[in-house]
Amino acid sequence: MHTVVCIKQVPDSAQIRVHPVTNTIMRQGVPTIINPYDLFALEQALQVRDHHGGEVTVLTMGPPMAEESLRKALTYGADRAVLLTDRHFAGSDTLATSFALSQAIAKIGNSFGPPDIVFTGKQTIDGDTAQVGPGIAKRLNLVQLTYVAKITCIDLSTRAITVERRSEGGTHVLKSELPCLITMLEGSTAIRRGSLEDALRAARSEIVRWNAAEAGIADIAKCGLRGSPTVVKRVFAPAPREQKAVQIDTVEKAVHDVADELVASIFTHQPALEHELCSHWQRVSR
């Protein structure tokens, strides 16, 4: 089987700061990492290869420095890494990103064999939109299986896959045909530690680099800022609340006394709420 894993190099969100004057994200000096959700997608792709054979190709779009994340992915055991980098991609939103990645995946299929499964993380920690994976599936006309927690079965003889998809109401068991696109949930599987052999191989591996033309992207107007209808107007840190929390002493008090004190405190700080509830009660009582 041939699987393609889309990853993204993102700033470490634990160390991101917002400029107090310009309200923009301060990226200087902030280390970059592989998007954590994408690591679960990569691990699942590696497990599929371990059980069914084949190759794992890792793909990312970004500046030349994104090669660091691709080499990291190779240390986990990926077979091949492709970097899609071009100044035409700068400023891409999810629509433009999904277009460029879908074109690159099509080129990967022509160059290294059609992918049976395309994996992505459920979302990225910098954008948090969860739109790129489904966008790729739509452009490549692939069945999309989102928020997958577990792959339970892959039957290569019938070209079918069965997965468990997590939802608010429980778990869905879905069966689909291949090829398909899967977005993996966090915590779906334990992330392996790369071997020394893979680390040495990653250090000397050649990263495949494609610009827009080499990836087969003819319509540059669909990339970058020109192809991005979404505009981020402002990034800001929430202002600290001026009003401090009210603490109610519950020591040696009966439950109903604590409840009465809590309700009284709420009505003191929100008199309109008390008036609204009293009016509602009067209407209901008539």
Side-chain angles (χ1 to χ4, degrees), residues 3-61:
T3 58
V4 173
V5 184
C6 297
I7 68 172
K8 184 179 181 182
Q9 186 179 62
V10 297
D12 188 347
S13 59
Q15 302 189 44
I16 286 181
R17 296 171 298 161
V18 177
H19 196 283
V21 177
T22 62
N23 290 321
T24 58
I25 293 178
M26 300 171 62
R27 298 178 182 268
Q28 293 80 3
V30 178
T32 56
I33 58 174
I34 297 177
N35 177 52
Y37 296 115
D38 297 343
L39 290 177
F40 294 102
L42 175 59
E43 174 60 32
Q44 192 62 69
L46 294 173
Q47 290 187 19
V48 169
R49 185 198 61 189
D50 293 344
H51 286 89
H52 301 280
E55 293 182 327
V56 175
T57 299
V58 182
L59 168 67
T60 192
M61 183 182 83

Side-chain angles (χ1 to χ4, degrees), residues 184-258:
M184 293 299 302
L185 282 176
E186 72 281 5
S188 53
T189 184
I191 305 298
R192 70 184 63 190
R193 295 179 64 123
S195 66
L196 177 60
E197 180 181 355
D198 285 328
L200 295 175
R201 178 178 57 85
R204 60 175 180 267
S205 292
E206 180 179 356
I207 305 296
V208 179
R209 290 193 177 211
W210 289 338
N211 57 28
E214 292 168 336
I217 301 175
D219 193 353
I220 298 298
K222 293 183 179 181
C223 301
L225 288 174
R226 288 190 294 174
S228 301
T230 306
V231 177
V232 179
K233 184 177 181 180
R234 186 164 65 100
V235 178
F236 62 94
R241 297 181 60 177
E242 297 181 358
Q243 185 177 3
K244 295 183 179 180
V246 177
Q247 183 175 354
I248 297 176
D249 186 13
T250 61
V251 178
E252 297 182 355
K253 290 184 179 179
V255 174
H256 65 274
D257 291 333
V258 175

